[in-house]
């Protein structure tokens, strides 16, 4: 398919399957960043109420920077991947000091901030500042693979990036990318996820019973009971695991997970107790 025909089809299909979402067509880079971070590996339906509540509590970069970390983590519960909340807060702290409470526009400055990768940086530039960028995420990949690589396996981002760059308009990139996202979401629910044919596709690991689930459980417990002891946490996690017909972890195994969380900055340890 010729690229001009591809662009025309995407715009048509994007309009046909357009989704109305509250973080679209807004000029608040911080609010856009929050949406982009929340939407990483999380469904839109789960993000919608959380985004609005998060912004009500932390409406600006400065507000998030000044917020208590435990409060931020509490508000993130249910979205998964708690380290995203920590990175977002650290990003706000840096922007409060170095950019007077704003987000930078330049790609290299965005990429230097905690938790901001190439797709998130491009999302902020495209959606908040309406600047042309190479925004490549799963729905965008789905459209390009479905339309331009219908029979190929193992398509690399190196093959896609020039096409994404060529098709991104200089005058209104956010409308273009919204069309790609909406068409991609529609394709996933109708003809399947073509992004599985990407060389970079990695199936999300099962959450149930995983170490990630145990980490999330321990974070919730420390937030709920500051000063909780290692023994108490081991017992609480053992009960949770046994309720789900799984073998309980030993105290040393629980301590290893907790030490990882302390090292990542989720909470602090004082002798044998933990608190956010």
């Amino acid at each position: 398919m010729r690229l001009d025909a591809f662009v025309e089809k995407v715009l048509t299909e994007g309009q046909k399957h357009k989704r109305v979402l509250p973080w679209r067509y807004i000029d608040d880079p911080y609010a856009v960043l929050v949406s982009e971070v929340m939407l990483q590996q999380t469904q839109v339906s789960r993000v919608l109420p959380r985004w609005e509540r998060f912004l009500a509590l932390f409406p600006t970069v400065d507000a998030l920077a000044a917020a208590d970390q435990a409060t931020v983590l509490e508000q993130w519960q249910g979205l998964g991947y708690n380290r995203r909340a920590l990175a977002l807060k650290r990003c706000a702290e840096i922007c409060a000091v170095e950019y007077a409470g704003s987000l930078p526009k330049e790609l290299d400055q965005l990429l230097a901030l905690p938790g901001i990768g190439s797709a998130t940086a491009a999302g902020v530039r495209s959606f908040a500042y309406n600047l042309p960028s190479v925004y490549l995420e799963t729905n965008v990949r789905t459209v390009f693979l479905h339309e331009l690589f219908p029979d190929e396996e193992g398509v690399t981002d190196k093959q896609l990036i020039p096409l994404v760059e060529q098709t991104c308009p200089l005058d209104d990139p956010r409308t273009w990318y919204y069309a790609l996202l909406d068409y991609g979401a529609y394709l996933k629910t109708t003809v399947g996820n073509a992004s599985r044919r990407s060389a970079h596709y990695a199936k999300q690991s099962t959450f149930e019973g995983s170490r990630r689930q145990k980490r999330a459980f321990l974070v919730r417990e420390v937030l709920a009971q500051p000063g909780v002891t290692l023994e108490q946490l081991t017992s609480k996690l053992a009960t949770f695991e046994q309720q789900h017909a799984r073998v309980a972890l030993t105290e040393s195994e629980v301590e290893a997970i907790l030490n990882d969380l302390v090292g990542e900055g989720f909470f602090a340890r004082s002798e044998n107790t933990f608190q956010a």
Side-chain angles (χ1 to χ4, degrees):
M1 176 184 291
R2 291 166 51 94
L3 283 186
D4 55 353
F6 169 76
V7 169
E8 184 177 351
K9 181 172 183 180
V10 169
L11 290 173
T12 299
E13 293 294 332
Q15 182 62 33
K16 189 185 301 183
H17 306 292
K18 181 178 180 179
R19 296 172 296 175
V20 178
L21 300 171
W23 48 78
R24 290 190 171 181
Y25 292 103
I26 60 175
D27 296 321
D28 182 349
Y30 166 67
V32 171
L33 174 64
V34 173
S35 72
E36 286 294 301
V37 174
M38 285 187 171
L39 287 164
Q40 294 168 4
Q41 297 178 294
T42 306
Q43 294 175 336
V44 169
S45 59
R46 289 174 59 198
V47 169
L48 277 167
R50 299 301 184 118
W51 180 80
E52 293 172 332
R53 187 171 71 183
F54 194 90
L55 288 178
L57 291 169
F58 317 111
T60 64
V61 167
D62 288 334
L64 181 58
D68 179 71
Q69 179 173 290
T71 303
V72 175
L73 284 170
E74 285 170 1
Q75 293 305 314
W76 201 268
Q77 297 308 293
L79 285 170
Y81 298 97
N82 289 306
R83 58 169 56 92
R84 291 181 299 170
L86 289 187
L88 188 58
K89 176 163 169 56
R90 289 170 186 154
C91 175
E93 291 169 350
I94 292 171
C95 289
V97 174
E98 297 186 9
Y99 297 104
S102 299
L103 278 176
K105 290 183 180 181
E106 299 304 318
L107 182 62
D108 59 344
Q109 293 175 323
L110 287 166
L111 290 172
L113 294 170
I116 296 187
S118 56
T120 302
V124 170
R125 281 173 54 83
S126 298
F127 301 135
Y129 295 116
N130 207 17
L131 294 171
S133 304
V134 179
Y135 183 62
L136 185 56
E137 57 81 65
T138 181
N139 281 342
V140 174
R141 282 192 188 90
T142 295
V143 175
F144 276 86
L145 289 169
H146 176 77
E147 295 291 348
L148 302 180
F149 299 87
D151 303 312
E152 293 188 39
E153 297 285 343
V155 179
T156 66
D157 284 355
K158 187 176 180 180
Q159 293 172 267
L160 295 179
I161 286 172
L163 299 172
V164 177
E165 193 169 22
Q166 289 174 55
T167 54
C168 177
L170 298 178
D171 58 339
D172 191 9
R174 62 180 169 189
T175 295
W176 167 244
Y177 283 124
Y178 289 152
L180 279 165
L181 291 172
D182 290 342
Y183 185 30
Y186 167 76
L187 287 172
K188 282 182 177 180
T189 61
T190 53
V191 300
N193 186 1
S195 68
R196 291 193 178 98
R197 294 190 282 105
S198 165
H200 311 282
Y201 176 78
K203 186 177 181 180
Q204 188 173 356
S205 59
T206 302
F207 180 71
E208 190 65 30
S210 66
R211 193 173 193 274
R212 185 159 56 91
Q213 186 184 42
K214 295 172 178 59
R215 282 168 54 97
F217 177 90
L218 292 169
V219 168
R220 287 196 302 271
E221 291 300 320
V222 173
L223 290 172
Q225 187 182 344
V228 64
T229 67
L230 171 60
E231 291 78 11
Q232 289 172 319
L233 288 168
T234 301
S235 176
K236 289 173 181 289
L237 182 57
T239 299
F240 177 76
E241 294 294 291
Q242 289 163 0
Q243 287 172 344
H244 293 82
R246 295 191 293 262
V247 176
L249 272 64
T250 65
E251 186 174 288
S252 61
E253 290 172 327
V254 174
E255 186 174 22
I257 297 175
L258 289 166
N259 285 339
D260 284 348
L261 291 168
V262 169
E264 293 168 28
F266 280 94
F267 40 72
R269 179 172 185 169
S270 177
E271 295 185 355
N272 208 37
T273 64
F274 301 83
Q275 61 183 21

